[in-house]
Amino acid sequence: MNALKGANEEIREFAAQTLSFLATHAPRDSLLALLESDANPTVRLYAADGLGAAGHGAALAERLEALRTLESDRDVKKHIGYTLSRGATGVDPRVLADLAGFEPSRIDSARVGEPAPKIDLESYSGGRVRLSDLRRVAPVVLVFLYGDTRPVCHGQLVQLRQAIAENPAFADIRVFAIDPHERVAARFLLGVGTGE
Amino acid sequence: MEPPLLLDPSLVASATHGVAFQMGIYIEISTRPATLVIDRCGVLRYARRVTSFSNRPAPEEVLRIATGNVPPAPPERR
């Protein structure tokens, strides 16, 4: 909270982002005060995220609706909406468990020429995928998506699939797409992307 | 058939690969677009992390690197 009182906007934005990650431990009234009156929209956005992650959306619904009406920044408006839609639920306990077990030194640790970091994720179609299980079986291409935009995000996967189908030399390569958002994944696979 | 889609709701995979929460997008959370290649021995052979969703490597280039039939890529510019 002290870092948010400084004059350096980058530090203030980073502090607000960190606070949103730690939302369940952040004081509700401090987050609300940031959302109500901070001049920096990025700080307001993360304050809204923090309130949502901690499940304050239901108790503060009336106040948040009023703030959303007054809010001038389009992104902050949307994130207040996410906070309202989370209601009293807050962050999924599975996400909190993942974060509790995450060693910060792993952040940005993937380097070309070095052993790839372990990946162990749930597949949208069911089951878990551990990339270590594929070693010595197949080379792997990982595509971190940006969203459900067509034709670009979806198009990259379609082009990879076509190139693999057309060239026997690529036949054993495994491609995985990774996205944080189940809602995006669903729209993506149903082929109803935004078209942007 | 689409490539399998893996879910990373806590962003631990994208944070590990240096692409978490680094772009604004009109959904709740997102990652930087990135394409990576891991060889059969589990070594990261290629990483392209970009800042524009429309900036994607050519599929043939990525797949040739995945087969191991190309020289190592130059250091990534980030």
Side-chain angles (χ1 to χ4, degrees):
Chain A
M1 291 302 298
N2 285 338
L4 282 160
K5 295 172 185 166
N8 184 313
E9 288 301 315
E10 280 190 26
I11 290 175
R12 295 182 67 250
E13 290 175 7
F14 185 69
Q17 185 182 24
T18 304
L19 206 56
S20 75
F21 282 125
L22 302 173
T24 51
H25 304 289
R28 186 188 84 165
D29 290 346
S30 300
L31 290 172
L32 186 59
L34 289 173
L35 180 59
E36 285 178 328
S37 57
D38 201 281
N40 184 328
T42 303
V43 170
R44 296 201 301 278
L45 185 148
Y46 285 126
D49 283 356
L51 289 168
H56 295 313
L60 296 173
E62 195 174 333
R63 187 75 196 118
L64 290 170
E65 289 285 10
L67 287 171
R68 181 163 62 169
T69 303
L70 294 170
E71 178 59 54
S72 58
D73 185 276
R74 182 172 63 168
D75 290 344
V76 180
K77 268 184 188 288
K78 280 190 172 285
H79 282 246
I80 294 173
Y82 299 141
T83 298
L84 283 163
S85 65
R86 281 185 187 275
T89 306
V91 173
D92 187 321
R94 291 172 299 178
V95 170
L96 288 178
D98 269 357
L99 292 174
F102 184 68
E103 171 55 50
S105 65
R106 286 168 58 196
I107 293 175
D108 197 17
S109 60
R111 291 287 178 273
V112 172
E114 297 180 6
K118 290 179 182 173
I119 288 182
D120 179 357
L121 294 174
E122 190 178 340
S123 167
Y124 180 72
S125 53
R128 293 196 76 83
V129 171
R130 295 174 185 84
L131 291 193
S132 55
D133 295 344
L134 290 171
R135 287 181 189 173
R136 304 187 191 287
V137 176
V140 170
V141 175
L142 295 179
V143 178
F144 284 89
L145 300 176
Y146 170 73
D148 61 350
T149 53
R150 287 171 168 269
V152 181
C153 296
H154 190 261
Q156 184 184 14
L157 298 181
V158 170
Q159 289 168 9
L160 284 166
R161 183 186 62 195
Q162 286 175 345
I164 289 171
E166 290 168 3
N167 188 337
F170 300 151
D172 64 344
I173 298 171
R174 301 286 303 275
V175 178
F176 294 92
I178 300 179
D179 194 275
H181 213 292
E182 193 163 358
R183 193 169 68 224
V184 168
R187 296 201 309 174
F188 199 91
L189 292 182
L190 289 170
V192 290
T194 61
E196 290 172 0
Chain B
M1 183 181 169
E2 299 289 355
L5 209 154
L6 310 182
L7 297 172
D8 183 26
S10 51
L11 297 162
V12 294
S14 52
T16 300
H17 292 80
V19 295
F21 267 132
Q22 295 185 19
M23 290 193 82
I25 186 173
Y26 304 118
I27 54 174
E28 189 169 3
I29 50 178
S30 188
T31 65
R32 273 169 79 188
T35 306
L36 300 99
V37 174
I38 302 167
D39 70 14
R40 289 175 197 277
C41 298
V43 173
L44 185 63
R45 287 296 171 203
Y46 172 88
R48 180 156 162 182
R49 293 166 261 220
V50 298
T51 54
S52 166
F53 77 94
S54 59
N55 183 353
R56 307 280 175 154
E60 292 278 340
E61 174 194 355
V62 172
L63 295 171
R64 273 198 299 275
I65 291 167
T67 62
N69 291 329
V70 294
E76 184 187 14
R77 292 174 61 194
R78 300 182 63 188

